[in-house]
């Protein structure tokens, strides 16, 4: 509560926890499933308050070793604090955290993206589109977009970020262009294009959004996708190809294909890899990124179907006793030591390193409903229903099969409760669920950004672009 009004839900509320750390704060990403549960039940006030108060914190000047966060950055979380004034009076203030108090002092890239996605959901589910048309809300949205669309040295249309900048907020080797951020980025761009008021002041931004959407979807669909056919293609790659016509554009060495993947990938099904950089493909399966690619139609219709086929085929590995693995497989032995820095919380099959996170249930349910695979959602929810309440709603589960409550897991974790409730409500309200996902955007076919107007280079053919959209 802030000044007598609800503004969010705390991350966890374990009555037996004597050291809540920052779990007594309102996290932007954690609040999203809570917000959807409220909206689906017709309770929009708390969501509107959250959106507006988070927006007020956007320009708050905080520093980390004398550096200020980029203009437009949204906080990772905020806390309601009571501070003394003169004459023995007290005042409530909102104290944001932009990463200066986080374990790794990393700014949250995903907060602004989630804020935009939630703003769209609020309008869709309440019919109150006046909120997104407010001048301050439009300005806040533009600041986030300008921050994400700023020119830099990176040549890829995907968003370049550092480790720890999303739900996986500790060192896990996801620096670069992690799939989770790209899927949220794509969703935020599509949401913004729906909500931005087009005028002389915004038309250039809308044009930049359209160009980035086209390039980003092509990039992810073409270069992040793996199935049996694509892995066999990579296995036969030639390297050190120097030309614009190179097949192995990122100089990927076939030896990078891990042995576990050759035995693991099914004949039917595929998925989007976790990361792509020069001479590096992260072949781990990251659940949130793949699910959100389905929800947002970042993947092609065929790819979206294949992702759910993959989860079904590898159910024991990706779901097991508790939905859903945050990533697969876990980093072990020397890889764990080098890549995580010997992180004692991210030991193999624990926390972000192959742990099971029940909050991912709502995103899995939404993806299943979009692709008309409700039986998979019902199966996952039934598994969670057996244990979550009895286990007091843990943050995450450990072990390869997700059998044990996480060794450092907080209990009464709000987004665990909210993810479960939202999943149940979505299944009961398919017409409302349909408002939360995106269908294939055929207008992207009309935008081809592969050619450079002034370079004289050959433009990419419309036929080639169309094949990537409709595969």
């Amino acid at each position: 509560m802030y000044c007598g009004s609800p503004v969010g839900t705390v991350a966890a509320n374990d009555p037996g926890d004597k050291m809540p750390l920052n779990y007594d704060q309102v996290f932007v990403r954690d609040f999203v499933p809570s917000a959807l549960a409220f909206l689906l039940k017709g309770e929009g006030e708390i969501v509107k308050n959250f959106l507006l108060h988070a927006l007020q914190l956007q320009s708050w000047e905080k520093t980390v070793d004398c550096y200020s966060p980029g203009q437009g950055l949204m906080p990772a979380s905020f806390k309601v604090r009571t501070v003394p004034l003169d004459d023995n009076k007290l005042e409530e203030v909102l104290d944001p955290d932009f990463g200066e108090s986080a374990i790794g002092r990393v700014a949250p890239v995903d907060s602004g993206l989630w804020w935009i996605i939630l703003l769209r959901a609020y309008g869709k589910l309440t019919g109150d589109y006046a909120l997104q048309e407010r001048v301050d809300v439009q300005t806040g949205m533009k600041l986030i977009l300008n921050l994400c669309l700023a020119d830099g040295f990176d040549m890829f249309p995907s968003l370049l970020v550092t480790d720890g900048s999303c739900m996986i907020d500790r060192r896990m080797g996801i620096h670069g262009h992690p799939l989770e951020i790209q899927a949220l980025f794509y969703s935020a761009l599509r949401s913004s294009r729906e909500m931005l008021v087009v005028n002389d002041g915004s038309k250039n931004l809308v044009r930049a959004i359209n160009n980035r959407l086209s390039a980003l979807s092509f990039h992810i669909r073409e270069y992040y996708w793996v199935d049996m056919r694509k892995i066999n293609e990579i296995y036969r790659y030639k390297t050190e190809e120097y030309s614009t016509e190179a097949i192995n554009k990122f100089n990927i060495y076939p030896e990078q294909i891990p042995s576990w993947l050759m035995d693991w990938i099914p004949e039917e099904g595929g998925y989007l890899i976790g990361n792509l950089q020069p001479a590096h493909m992260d072949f781990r399966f990251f659940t949130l990124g793949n699910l959100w690619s389905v929800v947002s139609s970042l993947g092609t219709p065929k790819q979206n179907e294949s992702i759910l086929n993959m989860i079904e085929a590898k159910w024991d590995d990706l779901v097991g006793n508790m939905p859903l693995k945050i990533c697969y497989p876990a980093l072990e032995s020397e890889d764990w030591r080098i890549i995580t820095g010997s992180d004692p919380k991210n030991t193999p099959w624990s926390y972000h390193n192959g742990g099971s996170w029940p909050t991912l249930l709502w995103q899995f349910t939404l993806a299943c409903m979009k692709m008309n695979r409700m039986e998979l959602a019902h199966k996952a929810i039934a598994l969670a229903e057996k244990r979550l309440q009895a286990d007091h709603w843990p943050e995450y589960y450990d072990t390869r099969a997700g059998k044990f409550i996480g060794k450092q897991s907080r209990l009464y974790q709000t987004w665990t409760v909210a993810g479960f409730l939202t999943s149940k409500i979505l299944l009961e309200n398919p017409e409302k669920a349909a408002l939360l996902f995106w269908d294939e955007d055929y207008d992207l076919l009309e935008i081809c950004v592969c050619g450079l107007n002034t370079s004289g280079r050959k433009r990419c053919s419309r036929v080639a672009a169309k094949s990537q959209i409709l595969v």
Side-chain angles (χ1 to χ4, degrees), residues 22 101 181 260 285 304 392 417 425 427 461:
N22 58 353
S101 299
I181 290 293
W260 65 264
F285 180 95
N304 294 339
H392 306 298
V417 180
I425 302 170
L427 286 173
S461 74

Side-chain angles (χ1 to χ4, degrees), residues 1-2 7 10 20-27 57 77-82 92-97:
M1 302 292 289
Y2 174 64
V7 293
V10 295
L21 298 178
N22 58 353
Y23 282 82
D24 61 351
Q25 298 186 25
V26 180
F27 278 79
L57 300 175
S77 63
F78 60 83
K79 182 178 176 65
V80 180
R81 297 188 187 277
T82 303
E92 285 185 339
V93 298
L94 293 179
D95 184 15
D97 176 15

Side-chain angles (χ1 to χ4, degrees), residues 388-389 391-395 410-413 416-417 420:
L388 282 181
Q389 186 171 6
D391 292 342
H392 306 298
W393 310 98
E395 180 183 19
R410 289 299 199 282
L411 302 180
Y412 300 97
Q413 187 82 15
T416 298
V417 180
F420 176 75

Side-chain angles (χ1 to χ4, degrees), residues 115-169:
W115 184 86
I116 291 176
I117 293 167
L118 182 57
L119 178 64
R120 172 188 181 267
Y122 173 84
K124 289 280 188 179
L125 292 173
T126 65
D128 178 13
Y129 294 102
L131 177 65
Q132 64 195 41
E133 295 170 358
R134 285 176 43 158
V135 174
D136 55 343
V137 174
Q138 289 280 313
T139 301
M141 189 162 35
K142 290 174 185 176
L143 287 173
I144 296 170
L145 294 170
N146 287 332
L147 183 63
C148 293
L149 294 169
D151 291 332
F153 288 102
D154 197 30
M155 295 288 286
F156 298 166
S158 44
L159 204 56
L160 177 64
V161 298
T162 188
D163 235 337
S165 60
C166 54
M167 179 179 172
I168 298 177
D169 57 5

